[in-house]
Amino acid sequence: MGRTARGTLTRVPPLNLGNQQPKTPLDAERAWRATAPRAADTVLFFDFDGTLAPVDDDPTAVQPAPRVMAALAALAPVVRRIAIVSARPVDFLRDHLGGLAGIDLYGLYGLEHSHSGGETVTEPAALPWVPTMSELAEQARAELPPGALVEFKRLSVALHWRTAPQLGDLVQEWGRARAERLGLRCQAGRMVLELKPPVDRDKGMVIGEIVRDAGGAWYFGDDVSDIKAFAALRARAATDPDFVGICVAVANPETGHEVADAADLTLDSPAALATFLTQALPHLT
């Protein structure tokens, strides 16, 4: 895996995107030093579950790791923007971030967004799918066996099997069959399959749009959907030699090496992320 820094950080090989080779510093200290001159023009992106917050058997019980909120609050005035880009609805993110000011929220892979505490805006093309998703959630609750958890998010339905791993194959088969029948898209995750409307929005698209005129960006994520966000930073760096893009994976055994191998740096856990962000502040001020 390469060398470690401060006991929690590991350098891993960058994502191979042909000619899109990032000019990423070799360790965390150099990465923050490279960011410092352009901190006011840098965006910090974070996934929520598994990144800012530990994954829980009950997805409704998830809370940010200790000290994460304080670290984000301290960094917000220093950088251009902080944005949470998550599979969760915006309302969930707003409630669980405790009203933290100055944070942009992108929910449901970008189907919803809210800027600095403003109103929630929904992608118009997704709205006609709300009844379909509601019916799908009811059908899943009726047909899937006990142990499978059905999470209705208005614009998507997540099928979890974390508390019943033996149901994984059955739940995925059921979900993919329904998705094909209804014309939906599937997003695999950590012991979850999410069914979404066939609308062209994902984390990579969200990040790509935001960083078009940014001087730098960091993305912190833990799941396979975050690889598209990493790729968006690689693509931006390929078009601008002055852009500093850093991809950080929050490691976990459920995604194996797939996410870590796509990142520049890895952290052990959401708790390690809180420490890492706290230690980063002196480099940027």
Side-chain angles (χ1 to χ4, degrees):
M1 290 288 291
R3 59 180 173 170
T4 60
R6 300 190 182 96
T8 61
L9 197 58
T10 305
R11 174 74 171 96
V12 298
L15 183 64
N16 182 5
L17 290 177
N19 293 327
Q20 296 181 5
Q21 292 299 322
K23 294 185 177 180
T24 303
L26 295 177
D27 56 50
E29 185 174 352
R30 288 179 61 191
W32 286 121
R33 284 208 310 265
T35 300
R38 52 178 58 77
D41 199 26
T42 293
V43 184
L44 302 182
F45 296 99
F46 300 89
D47 179 35
F48 184 78
D49 291 273
T51 300
L52 294 179
V55 171
D56 194 282
D57 288 348
D58 179 358
T60 65
V62 170
Q63 295 293 333
R67 301 186 298 121
V68 159
M69 300 304 297
L72 294 182
L75 286 168
V78 177
V79 299
R80 178 175 178 174
R81 297 173 72 180
I82 291 179
I84 314 301
V85 187
S86 172
R88 297 284 197 168
V90 163
D91 285 349
F92 177 95
L93 296 173
R94 187 181 289 117
D95 291 345
H96 285 71
L97 291 171
L100 187 63
I103 305 296
D104 293 339
L105 305 177
Y106 292 85
L108 303 175
Y109 304 95
L111 293 178
E112 297 180 337
H113 61 88
S114 173
H115 299 287
S116 301
E119 66 174 328
T120 300
V121 178
T122 301
E123 183 71 25
L127 286 173
W129 291 89
V130 172
T132 299
M133 292 301 169
S134 178
E135 293 171 8
L136 176 64
E138 293 180 6
Q139 187 178 25
R141 293 188 182 104
E143 296 183 9
L144 289 175
L149 189 152
V150 179
E151 184 184 8
F152 173 57
K153 304 181 185 180
R154 189 174 74 100
L155 294 174
S156 71
V157 175
L159 308 175
H160 301 263
W161 58 90
R162 176 168 299 278
T163 60
Q166 73 279 6
L167 297 179
D169 289 344
L170 185 152
V171 171
Q172 292 180 82
E173 181 180 354
W174 188 94
R176 293 188 185 280
R178 295 307 181 281
E180 182 176 359
R181 182 182 305 170
L182 296 170
L184 304 175
R185 294 179 181 174
C186 293
Q187 175 65 60
R190 295 175 58 178
M191 304 187 80
V192 61
L193 181 71
E194 188 148 7
L195 279 61
K196 310 183 298 179
V199 177
D200 286 331
R201 294 297 290 170
D202 60 37
K203 291 184 177 183
M205 295 178 67
V206 170
I207 275 64
E209 292 168 0
I210 296 173
V211 300
R212 284 175 183 166
D213 63 346
W218 289 59
Y219 187 94
F220 299 81
D222 73 302
D223 211 341
V224 291
S225 64
D226 297 309
I227 294 176
K228 290 184 178 180
F230 292 169
L233 293 193
R234 306 292 193 214
R236 176 71 175 88
T239 63
D240 182 355
D242 294 325
F243 180 84
V244 174
I246 312 293
C247 304
V248 184
V250 179
N252 64 86
E254 295 170 0
T255 53
H257 291 291
E258 187 174 2
V259 180
D261 286 348
D264 301 306
L265 305 166
T266 64
L267 293 164
D268 291 344
S269 65
L273 171 61
T275 300
F276 179 68
L277 295 176
T278 302
Q279 294 172 339
L281 190 60
H283 293 285
L284 301 180
T285 56

